[in-house]
Amino acid sequence: MNRYSTIIEQSIHIGGMNEKIMFAERLKAAMQAAGYDVRPSVLEREFNLRYWGKPITFQAVRRWLRGDSIPNQDKLQVLARWLSVDPHYLRYGGAAIYSVSEPTAAWDVSATSEERQVLSLYRSLPAAQRKVVREVMETFAKAYPSVDGTTK
């Protein structure tokens, strides 16, 4: 390997490191701006409440906050939506040329700690068990309609 190749590889390595560190700084700033403590435990809890995939670990969010790694696009979208920032900005910095947004879901209201705990437990279940829990909930909803006569 010649000297020029070594310099390029070092530059790419340093650039990648800076990219991750800059992402971590934008993530921390977004958390603070949204009123959250910048701690891995807070990020883990809040992210997993909003992410419908496999829950992320404390170690994973710690790597995000330390600038050791950058989340995949699906996770980045969840972070951006939660923190009310543009996903392009969160990932790359600067202003986005355009952004894609989804309308806020009708059920997007502040959840109680009990509701968040139930949702967290539900998400930790295997898919087959989640299906059973959902069927039980739907059965209860049909058996006990709301005051206006509709099921929720």
Side-chain angles (χ1 to χ4, degrees), residues 37-79:
D37 290 335
V38 179
R39 296 191 337 250
S41 59
V42 172
L43 180 54
E44 176 191 22
R45 179 189 68 232
E46 296 298 326
F47 179 87
N48 284 328
L49 287 173
R50 292 162 176 82
Y51 185 62
W52 288 97
K54 181 180 175 185
I56 58 168
T57 64
F58 179 86
Q59 291 79 13
V61 296
R62 195 170 121 240
R63 287 191 299 267
W64 295 351
L65 290 172
R66 288 178 48 189
D68 294 336
S69 67
I70 297 174
N72 294 335
Q73 187 64 22
D74 63 328
K75 293 174 179 70
L76 191 69
Q77 292 289 332
V78 172
L79 287 170

Side-chain angles (χ1 to χ4, degrees), residues 126-145:
Q129 290 179 339
R130 285 196 308 259
K131 182 179 179 187
V132 171
V133 169
R134 180 177 174 189
E135 289 171 356
V136 168
M137 290 174 66
E138 287 172 346
T139 301
F140 274 113
K142 288 176 187 172
Y144 302 100

Side-chain angles (χ1 to χ4, degrees), residues 23-34 38 89:
F23 165 77
E25 294 304 316
R26 288 188 295 272
L27 177 58
K28 290 175 195 176
M31 286 180 70
Q32 286 177 334
V38 179
Y89 167 77

Side-chain angles (χ1 to χ4, degrees), residues 2 7 9-10 12 15 17 19-20 26 31 35 43 62-63 81 86 88 113 123 135 143:
N2 65 30
I7 291 171
E9 285 184 11
Q10 288 173 348
I12 290 169
M17 294 289 283
E19 183 179 347
K20 292 173 186 175
R26 288 188 295 272
M31 286 180 70
L43 180 54
R62 195 170 121 240
R63 287 191 299 267
R81 193 174 308 120
D86 182 80
H88 184 273
S113 62
R123 288 180 177 167
E135 289 171 356

Side-chain angles (χ1 to χ4, degrees), residues 92-104:
Y92 300 104
I97 297 171
Y98 63 89
S99 66
V100 176
S101 63
E102 297 177 9
T104 304

